Each structure stands twice: as C-alpha cells, then as structure tokens.
Amino acid sequence: MRKNMNVLLAIIFFLISGCAVTKQAPVAPPEELTLQEVHEIALSKDEIFAKSLEWMAQTFVDSTQTIELRDKENGKIIGKGITEFYNGEMPTPCRFTIMIEAKDSKYRVTYSNFTGMWGAAGNLPRPLWHAGHIEQVKAKLKKLDATLYAYLSEEKTR
C-alpha cells in the first residue's frame, strides 16, 4: 500500500509541476520568419541581375557555394548567407536564404529560413523561433539589404 501511495504522489507531483506557469521566451509568429524588401531603381532587369551577382560575389565569402540558382531569364538569384545574433552574451551563427527577383526598374529581396547554428562547434542547426533572435537577425539583414541597394545605385565609371 505504501509503495502505491509513493507512486501516486509521484504522478501527482509531475502533473502539478507540468501545469506550473513558467516564463517562456516570446515566440515569433510565422509572418515574422521572413524579411522582404521591394526597391525601385532605374535599371533594367538584366542590369539588376548582373549587378546583384557581382554584389553577392563581393559580399559573401565563397560565392561559388553561396549562389544556388542563377536564372537570368526569370531574373532570379537564390543563395545562402550567414550572419549572427546574440544569445545572451554569446554570438550564435545564423544561416539564411536570400532570393533576389529582378524586373525592369525594381527588384524584390526575400530573406528566409533563419537557422541558428547551436552548440559549442556551431554544428546543431535549429530554425529560429525566439522573437528577440529573429529581430536581431532582421536588423542585420536590413543593413545587408541597404548595401545591395547602394551597390545597384552606384554609377560605374570605366
């Protein structure tokens, strides 16, 4: 009888502790898991496409591994990049997908698939969900996006 009582008390304890209110990190809603920017610019689709490829080659460490799709006919480039966010005081790498879609006089850039590279060796990929981490990543990507716009806006002198 005593043994059954201990088991019953253990079950009750686990049920009660599971119902306890804990402070959880804010979870980002699904619509916050991407960043999309549309820019108007006085360039043709082909010019935007070519200059965007140049920018990627100069911006990312290894553009041969970064660029996954180059579709000139449709004006689309898809690649992978990496940035970081702070998890407390420790920087954590974050991989992302960048898609550039060019049309005459405008282009759209979509940043998505934010994946934190957790663990001491940064070898445990997990999608980001914490609103604060996503906010940090988006702030860095907005700065990156500004560099693309500045590059496309430059006048080439030869």
Side-chain angles (χ1 to χ4, degrees), residues 41 51 55 107 144-155:
I41 194 158
K51 287 184 81 171
W55 172 82
Y107 68 98
L144 181 67
D145 191 68
T147 68
L148 172 58
Y149 182 79
Y151 188 83
L152 292 174
S153 299
E154 285 178 359
E155 289 289 326

Side-chain angles (χ1 to χ4, degrees), residues 49 53 63-64 67-73 76-78:
F49 181 85
L53 281 174
S63 64
T64 59
I67 300 169
E68 296 185 338
L69 174 76
R70 299 172 196 203
D71 182 353
K72 185 174 182 178
E73 183 178 322
K76 186 184 285 189
I77 303 166
I78 299 176

